[in-house]
Amino acid sequence: MKNTGGKNIASTVREVISPLAEEMGYYIWDIEFVKEGADKYLRITIDNEEGITIEDCEKFHRGIDPLLDEADPIAEAYILEVSSPGIERELKCDEHIFACVDWDVEAKLYAPKNGTKVFRGVLLGLDESLEAVILDVNGEQLALKKSEIAKLSTYFDFGSLK
């Protein structure tokens, strides 16, 4: 394994694969290196304006395989997965929030606020300090501090397809 200079695996992998992602018309939504059971997984999530197909995932997987082999950022055996973020995606950083403005979202809080721990509404963005997520909940603006939010994800009402 090459020395990553103290960087974590996800950021090192991002540096290695981002040029190819750009060249192929994708952007990296997320990278995770996780252990599940006895196996370790390198999960790379890609997206673009038109959405991602299984063919896109396969093509990108084939493209990054030799790059990761050459860079060797992970010393142990792992399973490589490439996927799309899907219609219901977790919003983990400011970039994700900005990318999903005007989408329906669900915010799950660590502790109740106004008697509830779950809010659904339209994502309006972040406040000026970038410390609070602003939602339109039934026509009223609601600011939720990032530190209050356990999980923020897009929400799709599958019942609306009927």
Side-chain angles (χ1 to χ4, degrees):
M1 180 172 109
K2 294 184 179 176
N3 184 345
T4 60
K7 293 182 187 174
N8 71 30
I9 288 172
S11 63
T12 301
V13 168
R14 183 179 296 272
E15 284 179 18
V16 170
I17 67 173
S18 286
L20 181 63
E22 271 184 47
E23 181 182 311
M24 296 176 81
Y26 308 131
Y27 57 89
I28 307 297
W29 181 265
D30 196 21
I31 298 175
E32 295 179 309
F33 184 63
V34 295
K35 182 175 183 183
E36 292 181 3
D39 296 319
K40 298 228 174 165
Y41 291 85
L42 177 60
R43 291 201 173 104
I44 300 170
T45 309
I46 59 173
D47 205 1
N48 70 17
E49 295 298 320
E50 290 80 43
I52 297 296
T53 66
I54 189 74
E55 291 79 17
D56 292 319
C57 293
E58 290 171 0
K59 184 168 74 170
F60 192 62
H61 189 293
R62 284 191 303 274
I64 63 173
D65 233 351
L67 297 176
L68 292 172
D69 286 346
E70 183 180 325
D72 198 19
I74 303 171
E76 54 211 304
Y78 63 92
I79 298 164
L80 175 61
E81 293 181 350
V82 176
S83 66
S84 80
I87 194 162
E88 291 191 332
R89 55 187 71 187
E90 188 171 354
L91 309 180
K92 296 181 178 181
C93 63
D94 291 354
E95 286 178 348
H96 293 168
I97 292 169
F98 293 131
C100 294
V101 166
D102 293 329
W103 289 36
D104 292 332
V105 296
E106 179 178 84
K108 294 181 180 178
L109 307 182
Y110 291 110
K113 180 174 186 159
N114 302 334
T116 187
K117 287 177 72 173
V118 178
F119 290 93
R120 287 187 180 162
V122 176
L123 179 61
L124 300 177
L126 295 171
D127 69 352
E128 289 181 17
S129 70
L130 304 179
E131 294 300 318
V133 175
I134 310 298
L135 304 181
D136 177 326
V137 179
N138 300 320
E140 301 211 11
Q141 284 195 13
L142 174 67
L144 300 171
K145 292 180 184 172
K146 288 181 192 174
S147 60
E148 297 176 305
I149 301 172
K151 183 176 182 180
L152 179 66
S153 55
T154 59
Y155 171 78
F156 184 78
D157 180 6
F158 290 96
S160 68
L161 296 176
K162 295 179 183 177

